[in-house]
Amino acid sequence: MPLERTIPSKDELREMVLSWQINEAVELALRDSDVLLMLLDLIGHGDKNTKVRALLALGEVLKKGDDRTKLLVMNNGFGTILSALESKDTRLVTKSLKVLSALVDGFPLRKDEFLCLVDVLVKLIKDPGMEFTSIEISDLVAKLTVSHPSPAVRSKVSWLVSHENPRLRAMGLRLLLNIFVFTGDAKSLLTLLEEASDLLLSEDDDLLVDFVLDVLSEALRAEVPEEAIKTLPGVLSRVKRVAVQSGDFLIRSKAKKLQGRIEELLSSHYRSRPEEAKNVLHRLVLDGEYSMAMDLAISLGDEFLLRWLSKTLELEGIEEFTPRFQVVSGPSGGSAAVLEFSPPAPSSRPVEVEETPSEEVADVPELPPIEKLVDDGDASALAEVLRTRPESVSELESFLRSRDAERRSNALWVLSKLVSRLNNGELKALHPLIPALFEIVESRNPWERNKAAKILAFLASRGGRRDVLESVLSFLEERPLPALEFFGYYFIYTWDEEAVSRVLQFLKDALTDPQLQFPALMVLDAITMWGIRPEIDRTVFEPILLQLLESNDEEVRKVAARVMERFKTA
């Protein structure tokens, strides 16, 4: 007679995971789904030590199991693992992150589970008390992807990429790479290169810089589309800076390796296109990006281009640069060189700039159509278009009014970056967009509404449009949500005593309204960034803040604590 299948009871399994028999428990769970389900139950209902040991066993099961094992865990234990992740217990959180890392390795999540996990990770990253999880989160995010990138997934990733928290932005870039860039999405690659380059300036966060270097290295491992090549000189300058200045040897080594890859890509592209290289160098010089131009010229190693750049700098009234110290990889297969230079200072002698002969400096090529710049998210090139062709703003207006949600979102995204690149006078070119932006702040799409509010706040505070402010104040009580989102940005950009007084009156009630509480708190946060001025009646707001410190919403508690600290130290 065949032997009957025997499985341990739940109590016997608990004893296994708490003893040196944990490997036996792992093997049993791999052979029998009932044992695996009992293991998941221990994670959900056991005491703390049992949960920790059960998570340890589950991690081993997932490492050795196949996709069917992972699917069973996903369907029956995902929520349980997330609960352990949210427990704030050091051991449970760390073990849960390792289990999730094993679960998602080569196993794309479904949309709902992906979005839920991202939300929990966002809370962990924002919590200063969870700093110890940084390495485990980095390992998990590096493997995290989704089976079907829905609009909700793209919206979540876009929100992360545009977040003010550098580590959340880095997480967004990693997800952008995992989900969209690897599919050949050139627009996503452009966004990744631009945003990652900015994050490399985070000199006081070695873990962040190391993470971003990994993202860039993977993104540039394959051939780069021609339209993305134009962003590489800027990335190269930032990577070189890390390679020279970082205090961490491993980070310097990683940066030097990435530098070599970028120089290889630039050399491969421009060596056969000397005229295009000259045009790019000339544009960099005209934009005042002298170091970037020098980095590009040196990486190409072309004596003609170096001499040409030197002459062009003289013609532009800039002293000829003198190499002094910088780490530069040599040609493919060749030895490296060490050079240095500082960005040249304006010449102390008066220089008459003559018109450059056409054979020496080629004309700067025409910029691509504005539609392509918007789709690529190229704020720098779009700024140049608006400076030379202000009438192009009508095309931007049509994009904002488009029924195509992606086109509309692309326009909002690039405009939200563009406003900070234009001076106060240049912002006037965007004034025709104000009516369309006011329509969008009424949108039910929170991402679109937020971006439109940010752009309008910039135009009101720095673009000379006081009427925008008055319009928002006029509908503060009737349509409070978009108005509060507007003021959450407006008071970051400027101190406006009259507007502050009017908004503070409204905040007293809004802070006690569950629907408006968080955006109202963000407005108070922005106002108090300027200090606790006489207009702010602390006897009114301190009791409200004390109540908010007891809120069930962690984000509300954190912002309330930040504002309360300002009251205490005023």
Side-chain angles (χ1 to χ4, degrees), residues 214-232:
D214 284 340
V215 171
L216 282 170
S217 296
E218 289 194 37
L220 297 176
R221 192 171 293 164
E223 289 303 312
V224 176
E226 187 170 334
E227 57 267 34
I229 290 288
K230 62 186 177 182
T231 65
L232 291 184

Side-chain angles (χ1 to χ4, degrees), residues 294 298 306 320-326 338-342:
M294 296 169 194
I298 291 174
L306 286 167
E320 183 177 359
F321 70 90
T322 303
R324 282 192 280 278
F325 177 86
Q326 186 63 282
V338 179
L339 300 169
E340 181 186 42
F341 51 79
S342 302

Side-chain angles (χ1 to χ4, degrees), residues 16 19 170 247 250 346 415 424 433:
M16 285 183 184
S19 69
L250 293 177
L415 283 169
N424 291 357
L433 303 180

Side-chain angles (χ1 to χ4, degrees), residues 140-159:
L140 168 57
V141 173
K143 302 169 185 173
L144 184 58
T145 187
V146 67
S147 54
H148 299 292
S150 67
V153 169
R154 182 176 282 276
S155 177
K156 178 66 72 174
V157 173
S158 296
W159 176 78

Side-chain angles (χ1 to χ4, degrees), residues 14 22-23 55 95 102 107 153 155 171 205 223 260 269 282 306 310 320 336 404 436 477 490 495 502 517 540 554:
R14 179 186 293 110
I22 192 168
N23 289 333
L55 283 167
K95 290 292 187 294
F107 187 79
V153 169
S155 177
M171 174 181 170
D205 193 339
E223 289 303 312
H269 180 80
H282 191 217
L306 286 167
S310 175
E320 183 177 359
D404 184 333
E477 295 191 6
Y490 180 77
W495 173 261
R502 294 169 67 178
Q517 193 171 75
V540 170
E554 184 180 4

Side-chain angles (χ1 to χ4, degrees), residues 197-414:
S197 178
D198 290 342
L199 286 176
L200 288 178
L201 296 176
S202 306
E203 298 175 352
D204 57 343
D205 193 339
D206 283 349
L207 184 64
L208 174 63
V209 172
D210 184 70
F211 184 85
V212 173
L213 288 172
D214 284 340
V215 171
L216 282 170
S217 296
E218 289 194 37
L220 297 176
R221 192 171 293 164
E223 289 303 312
V224 176
E226 187 170 334
E227 57 267 34
I229 290 288
K230 62 186 177 182
T231 65
L232 291 184
V235 179
L236 176 61
S237 287
R238 299 281 170 80
V239 171
K240 279 189 170 184
R241 178 176 175 177
V242 174
V244 171
Q245 297 183 1
S246 175
D248 187 297
F249 172 77
L250 293 177
I251 289 178
R252 291 199 308 273
S253 299
K254 192 174 290 186
K256 289 174 185 176
K257 184 177 180 181
L258 176 57
Q259 173 192 327
R261 173 58 180 159
I262 297 173
E263 289 176 334
E264 177 186 339
L265 289 167
L266 288 170
S267 178
S268 175
H269 180 80
Y270 287 118
R271 281 285 173 83
S272 60
R273 301 174 175 88
E275 288 302 313
E276 184 181 342
K278 284 166 58 179
N279 290 334
V280 172
L281 290 170
H282 191 217
R283 181 176 295 283
L284 290 172
V285 171
L286 292 177
D287 290 343
E289 301 287 359
Y290 309 122
S291 292
M292 209 178 291
M294 296 169 194
D295 281 331
L296 176 57
I298 291 174
S299 69
L300 297 179
D302 188 301
E303 183 178 355
F304 168 75
L305 285 175
L306 286 167
R307 292 181 181 277
W308 176 87
L309 177 59
S310 175
K311 188 168 185 178
T312 302
L313 290 172
E314 288 185 86
L315 290 169
E316 292 293 336
I318 305 299
E319 287 183 351
E320 183 177 359
F321 70 90
T322 303
R324 282 192 280 278
F325 177 86
Q326 186 63 282
V327 179
V328 181
S329 293
S332 179
S335 59
V338 179
L339 300 169
E340 181 186 42
F341 51 79
S342 302
S347 176
S348 58
R349 63 185 186 280
V351 178
E352 295 183 4
V353 182
E354 299 178 0
E355 187 173 346
T356 307
S358 59
E359 66 270 18
E360 294 181 5
V361 181
D363 293 335
V364 177
E366 290 187 12
L367 290 166
I370 197 167
E371 179 178 350
K372 177 170 172 50
L373 299 180
V374 169
D375 288 345
D376 290 348
D378 194 338
S380 297
L382 185 58
E384 187 65 27
V385 168
L386 290 174
R387 290 182 185 115
T388 56
R389 302 200 308 270
E391 67 278 6
S392 299
V393 74
S394 61
E395 291 184 68
L396 291 174
E397 183 180 11
S398 69
F399 297 158
L400 291 176
R401 297 184 186 277
S402 173
R403 293 186 179 182
D404 184 333
E406 184 175 0
R407 174 58 50 77
R408 193 168 59 248
S409 295
N410 288 345
L412 286 166
W413 171 244
V414 73

Side-chain angles (χ1 to χ4, degrees), residues 101-120:
S101 186
L103 176 62
V104 304
D105 190 6
F107 187 79
L109 299 186
R110 293 169 297 214
K111 179 196 74 173
D112 292 341
E113 284 90 349
F114 174 85
L115 293 173
C116 190
L117 176 55
V118 168
D119 286 341
V120 175

